[in-house]
C-alpha cells in the first residue's frame, strides 16, 4: 500500500498528508483496504506565505480507501484533512489513485507497479490546487531486508508551478525484520524540483524517517515513524502513524 | 538404452521441453523425456535391475519411494546412497518389496531454485504386482498430480512460500491431451499420485464416487466409498470407480483456482460427447480414519517405545522461507535417533507450527495409531502422513530394516530448510 507522498505540495506547503513509501503489491480483488494516516508537524513553517497556512503544529488526518480490482490493479481514494489552532478542522482536498502492477505470472525478480494520482487541494494548503503524479514502484524482500524505491514524477495542472513541468520526487525505504512482527528502518522522502534542473539543496525538500512496521496480522497494516528535515525548506520534525485494515467482501470458501 | 546389458528398466535423467498446454511449454528435468516418467512395473520378490543415466548438468539421485531397500540404494544421500554425477550412471539391483503402488523421484536439494529437485518433472509411477492379485477391476489407470512453474511469493504466514502458475494431471492441463475413455459398467482402478513439491490436492470426479482400496499402495482394512480424495505431497490413493453414469465428466482439483490452473482430466464414456461437466463441491472432506479397521485393543506385538518429534518453524525474514526444526534442531544438526532392531516404536508427531506437514519415513511402513482429536485408529499402513497444523498424529513402526533411515517433511521447501532427521540402527 502507498499513496500521495510527502511532496506533492510545493515549497513551504509540504504535503505531509500521507507519508508512505509504496510497496509493489496491490490490494487483492474483492478486498477493500481502509487506512488512516495521522501526521503531526512538530516543527515546521510558522508563517502564512502567499495565503498558505503554516504547517507548524498542523495535525493531518488522511483517510485512504483502496479497492482491489483484480490481481494486478487497484484504485485508491483519499480525503485529506487538517487540524490547527485558529483554523479548526478543515477539509484539504481529495485524490484518486489507480495503480497497476506486474502480475506474478510474469515471474519478475522484483516487484514492480505504477500508480498515477490526480487530485485537488485547497489553496489555503497548497498554491498548486490541481496536481498529477506518476509513481513507478520497485521493491524487493531479501531474507530479513526490504527495499523499496519510488522515483515519482509530479506535474502541476493549476497553480503557480504549472510552468515548472515535471518535478522529481523520489522516495525510498530500507527496513530490517527484527522479528516476524517487528520491522524497522529508514524512509527517505524528497522533492528535488524540476526534472533535470534540480533546485539548489537549500530549496530542495529532503526528509529522513526512522520508521517501524508492525506485522501483527495479514489483515492489519501498522506503521509509525519520526522524521527529520534535512534541508532548510523541509519541515524539521514530523511524527507519523498509519493504521490500516483489510476487509474482504466475499465469504472465504475452502474451495476457492 | 541398456547400460549394464542386463537392466530390466533404464531411466534417463535429462532436460526436455514438455507441452503442458497449447500455451505453456516448459523446459525441465524429467525421466525418459516425459513427466510423469515411464511406469515401472515389477513383480514382488522377483529380482530386478534398473539403470539410471544422468544426462543432466546436476548431480542427481533417484529415490525409490515406499520400497524396503538397503540404505545405499534407497536414493537419499543422507542415508549413504551415492549421487550420480553429471554424465554418470548407476545400476540398482534389488528384490522389490512391498507390493503395491510406489513411485520414484529425485531426492536432491533445491533451496531457492524452483527449477530443481521435486519442482522439476523428475517423478514416475512404480508398481509392484503382488504374487496374487486380490483386486477386481476392468481397467487400471495411473494419474499423477503435479504443480509447475513455481516462484517464491509472500504468503499470509509472513514468509515466502512457493506458488505455481500451472497444475496438471499426467503432465497436461484440463482439456489438453487425450481424455480418459471408459465404458459403462467398467470398474476402473485409479492409482493417483501427488508428486507436487509442496502442495496438497483434493480431487473429485463429478457424478461418481471413489471406493478407496489402498493408501500409499497398502490395502486399507475398510475400503470405503467417498466423494473426494485428498493427497498430500508424496501420498498415493488407489480407488475403484464404477463407471455407472454415462457422460463426459471432469476429474479435477476441487479448489477452483487450482483447477483453473489446469489440474483436471476429462473422463469420456464411449459414444458420449459434449462439454465436460463439473459440479463444484462446497467443502473439502477427507479423513484417514474412515478406512481404518474396526476398533480393537492396542497392538499385541510388544510395547512400543515412544519417540516424540516436535516440529517448529523458525522465522528468518519476510523475504525468506521459514526454516524448520525437529526437537529444536535443523538438519544436519538434528539428533540421530538410534533404533534397536525388532523394536516397535511409536512416533509422536507434534506439529507446533501453522503449516501442515506430509512427513515421510524411508525404507519402512508405519501404522496410523492416533489422529487429531485423540482418535485411535488401527490397520492403516503408510509411508507418508499429513500432520495438520498445530495437531498431533501418532504412528507406530517396527525397526525391521537395518540401515540409515531418513525421516523428513516431503515438502521440498521444508526439507531443504532443515526438516529432516536420520534414524540409525544400533
Amino acid at each position: 500500500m502507498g499513496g500521495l507522498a510527502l511532496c506533492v505540495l510545493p515549497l513551504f506547503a509540504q504535503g505531509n498528508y500521507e507519508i508512505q513509501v509504496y510497496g509493489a503489491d496491490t490490494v487483492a480483488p474483492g478486498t477493500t483496504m481502509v487506512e488512516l494516516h495521522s501526521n503531526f508537524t512538530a516543527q515546521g513553517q510558522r508563517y502564512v506565505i502567499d495565503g498558505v497556512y503554516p504547517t507548524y503544529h498542523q495535525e493531518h488526518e488522511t483517510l485512504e480507501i483502496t479497492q482491489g480490482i483484480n490481481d494486478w490493479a487497484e484504485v485508491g481514494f483519499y480525503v485529506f484533512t487538517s487540524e490547527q489552532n485558529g483554523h479548526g478542522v478543515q477539509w484539504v482536498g481529495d485524490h484518486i489513485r489507480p495503480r497497476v502492477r506486474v502480475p506474478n505470472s510474469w515471474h519478475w525478480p522484483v516487484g514492480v507497479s505504477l500508480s498515477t494520482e490526480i487530485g485537488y487541494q485547497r489553496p489555503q494548503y497548497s498554491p498548486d490546487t490541481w496536481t498529477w503524479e506518476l509513481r513507478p514502484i520497485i521493491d524487493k524482500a531479501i531474507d530479513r531486508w526490504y527495499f523499496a524505491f519510488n522515483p515519482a514524477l509530479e506535474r502541476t495542472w493549476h497553480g503557480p508551478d504549472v510552468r515548472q513541468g515535471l518535478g522529481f520526487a523520489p522516495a525510498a525505504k530500507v527496513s530490517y525484520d527484527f522479528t516476524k512482527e517487528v520491522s524497522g528502518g529508514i524512509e527517505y522522502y524528497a522533492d528535488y524540483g524540476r526534472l533535470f534542473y534540480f533546485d539548489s539543496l537549500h530549496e530542495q525538500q529532503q526528509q529522513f524517517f526512522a520508521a517501524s512496521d508492525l506485522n501483527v496480522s495479514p489483515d492489519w497494516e501498522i506503521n509509525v515513524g519520526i522524521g527529520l528535515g534535512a534541508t532548510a525548506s523541509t519541515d524539521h520534525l514530523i511524527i507519523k502513524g498509519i493504521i490500516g485494515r483489510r476487509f474482504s467482501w466475499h465469504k472465504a470458501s475452502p474451495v476457492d | 538404452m541398456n547400460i549394464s546389458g542386463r537392466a530390466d528398466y533404464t531411466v534417463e535423467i535429462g532436460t526436455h521441453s514438455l507441452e503442458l498446454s497449447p500455451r505453456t511449454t516448459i523446459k525441465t528435468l524429467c525421466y525418459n523425456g516425459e513427466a510423469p516418467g515411464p511406469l515401472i512395473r515389477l513383480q514382488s520378490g522377483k529380482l530386478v535391475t534398473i539403470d539410471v543415466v544422468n544426462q543432466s548438468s546436476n548431480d542427481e539421485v533417484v529415490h525409490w519411494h515406499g520400497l524396503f531397500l538397503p540404505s545405499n540404494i534407497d536414493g537419499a544421500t543422507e542415508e549413504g546412497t551415492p549421487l550420480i554425477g553429471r554424465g554418470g550412471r548407476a545400476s540398482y539391483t534389488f528384490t522389490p518389496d512391498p507390493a503395491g503402488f510406489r513411485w520414484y523421484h529425485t531426492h536432491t536439494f533445491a533451496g531457492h531454485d524452483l527449477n530443481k529437485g521435486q519442482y522439476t518433472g523428475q517423478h514416475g509411477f512404480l508398481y509392484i504386482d503382488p504374487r496374487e492379485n486380490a483386486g477386481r477391476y476392468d481397467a487400471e489407470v495411473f494419474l499423477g498430480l503435479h504443480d509447475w512453474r513455481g516462484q517464491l511469493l509472500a504468503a499470509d504466514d509472513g514468509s515466502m512460500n512457493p506458488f505455481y502458475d500451472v497444475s496438471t494431471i499426467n503432465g497436461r492441463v484440463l482439456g489438453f491431451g487425450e481424455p480418459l475413455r471408459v465404458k459403462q459398467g467398467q470398474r476402473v482402478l485409479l492409482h493417483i499420485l501427488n508428486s507436487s513439491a509442496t502442495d496438497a490436492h483434493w480431487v473429485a470426479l463429478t457424478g461418481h464416487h471413489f471406493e478407496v482400496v489402498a493408501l500409499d499402495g497398502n490395502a486399507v482394512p475398510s475400503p470405503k466409498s467417498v466423494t473426494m480424495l485428498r493427497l498430500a505431497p508424496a501420498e498415493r490413493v488407489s480407488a475403484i470407480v464404477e463407471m455407472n453414469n454415462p457422460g463426459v465428466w471432469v476429474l479435477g482439483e476441487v479448489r477452483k483456482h487450482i483447477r483453473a490452473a489446469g489440474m483436471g482430466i476429462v473422463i469420456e464414456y464411449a459414444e458420449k460427447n459434449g462439454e465436460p461437466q463439473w459440479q463444484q463441491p462446497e467443502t473439502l472432506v477427507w479423513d484417514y480414519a474412515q478406512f481404518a479397521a474396526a476398533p480393537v485393543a492396542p497392538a499385541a506385538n510388544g510395547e512400543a517405545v515412544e519417540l516424540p518429534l516436535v516440529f517448529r518453524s523458525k522465522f528468518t525474514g519476510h523475504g525468506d522461507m521459514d526454516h524448520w526444526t525437529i526437537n529444536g534442531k535443523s538438519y544436519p544438526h538434528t539428533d540421530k535417533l538410534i533404533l534397536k532392531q525388532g523394536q516397535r516404536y511409536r512416533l509422536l508427531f507434534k506439529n507446533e507450527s501453522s503449516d501442515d506437514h506430509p512427513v515421510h519415513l524411508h525404507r519402512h511402513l508405519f501404522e496410523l495409531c492416533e489422529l487429531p482429536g485423540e482418535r485411535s485408529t488401527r490397520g492403516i499402513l503408510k509411508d507418508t502422513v499429513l500432520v495438520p497444523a498445530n495437531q498431533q498424529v501418532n504412528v507406530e513402526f517396527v525397526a525391521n530394516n537395518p540401515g540409515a533411515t531418513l525421516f523428513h517433511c516431503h515438502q521440498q521447501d521444508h526439507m531443504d530448510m532443515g526438516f529432516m532427521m536420520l534414524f540409525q540402527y544400533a
Side-chain angles (χ1 to χ4, degrees):
Chain A
M1 275 306 303
L4 174 72
L6 181 71
C7 300
V8 163
L9 309 181
L11 198 60
F12 297 126
Q14 291 178 319
N16 301 333
Y17 292 90
E18 193 217 0
I19 304 171
Q20 186 171 24
V21 181
Y22 284 32
D25 256 359
T26 50
V27 172
T31 301
T32 304
M33 180 83 179
V34 178
E35 288 173 277
L36 182 67
H37 301 257
S38 304
N39 304 314
F40 178 70
T41 304
Q43 292 179 27
Q45 169 56 244
R46 288 173 178 262
Y47 307 104
V48 176
I49 298 177
D50 294 337
V52 177
Y53 294 156
T55 56
Y56 181 73
H57 280 198
Q58 275 189 350
E59 168 67 30
H60 293 168
E61 295 293 334
T62 298
L63 176 67
E64 176 185 0
I65 300 173
T66 307
Q67 177 64 41
I69 307 298
N70 53 34
D71 59 6
W72 52 267
E74 67 177 23
V75 61
F77 304 90
Y78 297 88
V79 179
F80 304 113
T81 67
S82 177
E83 193 277 333
Q84 193 172 26
N85 272 346
H87 300 291
V89 177
Q90 297 284 326
W91 168 72
V92 173
D94 296 318
H95 283 199
I96 184 169
R97 178 188 51 76
R99 182 148 75 115
V100 294
R101 75 178 174 102
V102 169
N104 291 333
S105 58
W106 292 12
H107 285 232
W108 283 24
V110 294
V112 174
S113 65
L114 183 67
S115 88
T116 184
E117 183 168 327
I118 301 160
Y120 169 82
Q121 43 277 331
R122 293 169 63 199
Q124 293 89 339
Y125 294 90
S126 166
D128 293 325
T129 51
W130 283 94
T131 54
W132 168 75
E133 177 194 90
L134 186 68
R135 179 176 291 258
I137 299 144
I138 303 155
D139 77 351
K140 178 77 176 173
I142 304 172
D143 299 336
R144 289 181 183 268
W145 292 94
Y146 175 75
F147 305 91
F149 180 47
N150 300 177
L153 302 172
E154 298 173 352
R155 180 80 166 86
T156 296
W157 281 350
H158 188 273
D161 288 336
V162 72
R163 290 183 183 160
Q164 184 189 15
L166 280 177
F168 183 55
K173 173 173 181 168
V174 178
S175 70
Y176 182 82
D177 301 326
F178 295 106
T179 68
K180 194 168 190 170
E181 292 79 23
V182 180
S183 310
I186 300 292
E187 296 174 3
Y188 170 72
Y189 302 90
D191 187 345
Y192 294 164
R194 189 176 176 190
L195 189 64
F196 305 126
Y197 302 95
F198 293 159
D199 295 337
S200 65
L201 186 63
H202 179 82
E203 293 182 331
Q204 289 179 13
Q205 296 182 20
Q206 297 198 32
Q207 203 155 35
F208 293 89
F209 276 78
S212 177
D213 293 289
L214 305 178
N215 311 294
V216 295
S217 154
D219 289 334
W220 287 90
E221 182 170 302
I222 301 171
N223 171 274
V224 292
I226 182 163
L228 299 174
T231 70
S233 299
T234 316
D235 284 336
H236 290 312
L237 182 62
I238 296 178
I239 298 157
K240 70 156 183 163
I242 303 168
I243 185 161
R245 173 76 161 89
R246 285 180 178 80
F247 297 93
S248 182
W249 298 110
H250 59 85
K251 192 179 170 189
S253 164
V255 298
D256 280 344
Chain B
M1 183 168 21
N2 188 327
I3 308 305
S4 59
R6 58 187 175 83
D8 300 285
Y9 285 91
T10 299
V11 175
E12 182 182 309
I13 306 166
T15 302
H16 294 270
S17 291
L18 303 179
E19 193 178 12
L20 307 181
S21 79
R23 291 191 311 170
T24 310
T25 298
I26 61 162
K27 238 179 165 181
T28 187
L29 285 170
C30 58
Y31 297 142
N32 294 13
E34 54 189 358
L39 168 63
I40 294 179
R41 191 143 203 156
L42 308 176
Q43 284 290 323
S44 176
K46 185 180 174 188
L47 202 68
V48 65
T49 297
I50 301 175
D51 284 349
V52 179
V53 184
N54 182 9
Q55 304 284 21
S56 79
S57 55
N58 309 318
D59 293 342
E60 277 293 346
V61 69
V62 177
H63 170 47
W64 312 98
H65 187 120
L67 276 70
F68 299 157
L69 295 180
S71 302
N72 62 344
I73 62 168
D74 181 53
T77 55
E78 296 83 358
E79 295 174 338
T81 304
L83 282 168
I84 307 168
R86 288 165 272 186
R89 58 188 60 185
S91 188
Y92 304 106
T93 298
F94 57 87
T95 303
D97 189 36
F101 181 25
R102 316 295 164 195
W103 65 302
Y104 60 105
H105 61 88
T106 183
H107 208 285
T108 51
F109 179 84
H112 293 81
D113 186 347
L114 273 53
N115 294 306
K116 286 189 171 177
Q118 198 55 43
Y119 300 109
T120 69
Q122 293 180 87
H123 54 267
F125 308 114
L126 190 154
Y127 194 86
I128 302 174
D129 281 310
R131 289 196 177 89
E132 294 174 11
N133 193 344
R136 189 180 72 76
Y137 51 85
D138 304 306
E140 190 178 29
V141 175
F142 289 81
L143 299 174
L145 319 177
H146 201 71
D147 300 298
W148 305 91
R149 290 194 68 205
Q151 62 180 320
L152 290 173
L153 295 173
D156 277 353
D157 65 3
S159 298
M160 304 295 268
N161 281 312
F163 289 83
Y164 303 92
D165 294 344
V166 183
S167 299
T168 60
I169 293 182
N170 285 357
R172 298 281 187 275
V173 303
L174 176 60
F176 181 58
E178 290 298 303
L180 177 56
R181 295 191 171 87
V182 299
K183 293 175 185 164
Q184 186 173 0
Q186 266 188 326
R187 284 168 59 86
V188 177
L189 175 58
L190 300 177
H191 294 298
I192 306 177
L193 157 71
N194 181 3
S195 61
S196 173
T198 59
D199 284 7
H201 289 297
W202 281 259
V203 292
L205 171 53
T206 295
H208 298 78
H209 287 75
F210 301 98
E211 185 191 359
V212 174
V213 295
L215 296 177
D216 292 354
N218 310 300
V220 294
S222 304
K224 188 170 177 188
S225 183
V226 297
T227 56
M228 75 175 68
L229 311 173
R230 187 201 65 192
L231 296 100
E235 283 192 315
R236 289 87 68 208
V237 173
S238 299
I240 291 174
V241 178
E242 292 259 10
M243 295 299 171
N244 53 10
N245 193 359
V248 182
W249 306 101
V250 171
L251 185 158
E253 234 284 1
V254 175
R255 290 169 299 170
K256 296 171 189 171
H257 72 285
I258 299 177
R259 201 174 57 260
M263 188 167 280
I265 188 170
V266 175
I267 308 292
E268 186 180 285
Y269 278 69
E271 298 173 9
K272 294 290 177 185
N273 50 45
E275 280 297 301
Q277 300 299 306
W278 172 259
Q279 289 167 1
Q280 180 60 53
E282 295 304 317
T283 55
L284 301 175
V285 183
W286 182 254
D287 186 0
Y288 292 125
Q290 60 193 322
F291 313 111
V296 291
N301 36 359
E303 180 109 355
V305 174
E306 289 194 349
L307 298 174
L309 301 176
V310 180
F311 313 146
R312 291 199 186 106
S313 64
K314 207 162 65 176
F315 177 73
T316 56
H318 294 298
D320 195 11
M321 294 183 275
D322 277 340
H323 289 209
W324 295 93
T325 63
I326 303 174
N327 292 348
K329 296 175 184 171
S330 293
Y331 190 86
H333 306 294
T334 39
D335 296 328
K336 280 183 182 159
L337 292 183
I338 305 300
L339 305 175
K340 184 177 160 192
Q341 190 172 352
Q343 176 66 52
R344 189 173 181 87
Y345 291 92
R346 172 172 276 225
L347 301 175
L348 314 180
F349 300 142
K350 299 181 179 182
N351 184 358
E352 296 184 359
S353 78
S354 56
D355 283 12
D356 297 345
H357 295 293
V359 293
H360 169 49
L361 182 64
H362 282 226
R363 309 176 56 250
H364 298 75
L365 291 177
F366 50 70
E367 181 183 13
L368 303 191
C369 295
E370 201 160 293
L371 296 168
E374 298 183 353
R375 292 174 302 146
S376 293
T377 181
R378 284 288 170 187
I380 300 176
L381 297 174
K382 292 177 73 28
D383 56 55
T384 306
V385 64
L386 189 77
V387 186
N390 299 304
Q391 302 279 354
Q392 179 169 338
V393 170
N394 298 339
V395 306
E396 288 186 5
F397 78 104
V398 178
N400 55 7
N401 191 12
T405 299
L406 194 64
F407 167 77
H408 63 95
C409 177
H410 216 281
Q411 278 194 224
Q412 178 86 49
D413 54 334
H414 292 181
M415 63 185 286
D416 288 347
M417 296 298 142
F419 201 137
M420 290 202 288
M421 175 179 241
L422 206 55
F423 295 177
Q424 299 275 20
Y425 278 72

